[in-house]
Amino acid sequence: MADPAAVFRALHHGRAPDDPLVLPGPWDAASARALEEAGFPALAIPSAGVAASLGHEDGRTPVDEMFAAVTRIVRAVSVPVSADVEAGYGLEPEELVDRLLAAGAVGCNLEDSVDGVLLDPDRQADRLARFRAAAGDRLFLNARVDVHLHAAPSGTDRASAATGRALRYAAAGADCVYPIAAPPDDLPRLAAAVPVPLNAIGTPDSPTAVRRLGELGASRVTFGPALQRLAAAAVREAAQRLR
């Protein structure tokens, strides 16, 4: 049987510019099965979607609840599943690796900010290197770059800051970098500078926009909690009609 992590890693490479890897985000077992049945070769769990499904604010899901949800989702499908584990819940990298492997995930997102504050990029790179050393090839590491999400000193060139962090994280062993919320026009510069695949955030209602992100340099497109929010909106609309 093929190694799921190797299968997942291979999906990120050799892609045509107009065909990035699309990884929709399940928030529970039922949504994961629906996405697998739709034909997606792999899935990427969004922490915000899981938080909403469990009744928590984004970023406030207890670690045991998050990993229990990841385990349920992984067990529900036969395709590889990566998980957004935010900034790691304060776990040491070695313990984080153990928890992900126990849950059956093939990889994770790791953020470089906590409570709206960017982490020191060199310290984050050291943490990513420890994660890579503990995981070996068993987990795909997607290093999120949050410089476009949070306040920065006046005069900061966010594109340069994002590129600098992405390069550090790739050198530390990240398989992919995720400059979340980077303007699409910044993607070609990032893709040209960074020697690993690039993750961009897209909208799930526009295949044309997804293809465009690929043409700009993204090897992979995810949607955060957008599908969960669309589902919740559909439930609200149905409930209003019933009333």
Side-chain angles (χ1 to χ4, degrees):
M1 180 180 295
D3 173 23
V7 170
F8 186 71
R9 186 172 283 108
L11 288 170
H12 293 74
H13 296 278
R15 308 199 67 88
D18 62 348
D19 183 33
L21 175 62
V22 176
L23 295 176
W27 56 96
D28 60 13
S31 60
R33 290 193 187 104
L35 293 169
E36 181 183 32
E37 289 166 3
F40 290 97
L43 306 174
I45 300 170
S47 61
V50 171
S53 75
L54 297 175
H56 298 295
E57 295 294 323
D58 183 20
R60 295 292 180 262
T61 306
V63 60
D64 289 341
E65 290 191 44
M66 179 60 72
F67 278 105
V70 171
T71 301
R72 287 191 295 270
I73 291 169
V74 169
R75 289 177 178 172
V77 296
S78 61
V79 297
V81 179
S82 181
D84 177 2
V85 291
E86 303 179 298
Y89 307 106
L91 301 175
E92 293 297 320
E94 296 79 7
E95 184 178 358
L96 184 58
V97 166
D98 289 343
R99 296 291 296 264
L100 286 161
L101 291 172
V106 299
C108 70
N109 287 2
L110 268 180
E111 302 170 6
D112 68 348
S113 65
V114 175
D115 294 331
V117 178
L118 286 167
L119 301 174
D120 177 81
D122 291 322
R123 292 184 64 184
Q124 178 70 354
D126 288 344
R127 190 159 185 266
L128 296 177
R130 287 177 59 193
F131 181 101
R132 172 55 63 217
D137 291 334
R138 296 177 295 170
L139 292 171
F140 184 97
L141 176 56
N142 188 32
R144 208 176 86 172
V145 178
D146 290 357
V147 296
H148 290 90
L149 289 182
H150 305 306
S154 178
T156 297
D157 182 340
R158 290 182 189 266
S160 294
T163 301
R165 284 175 179 260
L167 286 168
R168 284 181 174 89
Y169 303 163
D175 294 287
C176 184
V177 294
Y178 180 16
I180 187 170
D185 288 347
D186 287 358
L187 297 181
R189 173 180 172 181
L190 280 159
V194 181
V196 296
L198 187 68
N199 187 158
I201 192 165
T203 55
D205 56 348
S206 177
T208 300
V210 168
R211 286 194 297 272
R212 180 60 178 157
L213 291 172
E215 292 167 350
L216 290 170
S219 298
R220 153 177 166 160
V221 177
T222 53
F223 308 105
L227 286 172
Q228 184 273 328
R229 291 171 181 170
L230 284 173
V235 170
R236 281 193 296 272
E237 291 172 7
Q240 290 166 358
R241 289 195 296 271
L242 287 171
R243 292 281 292 172

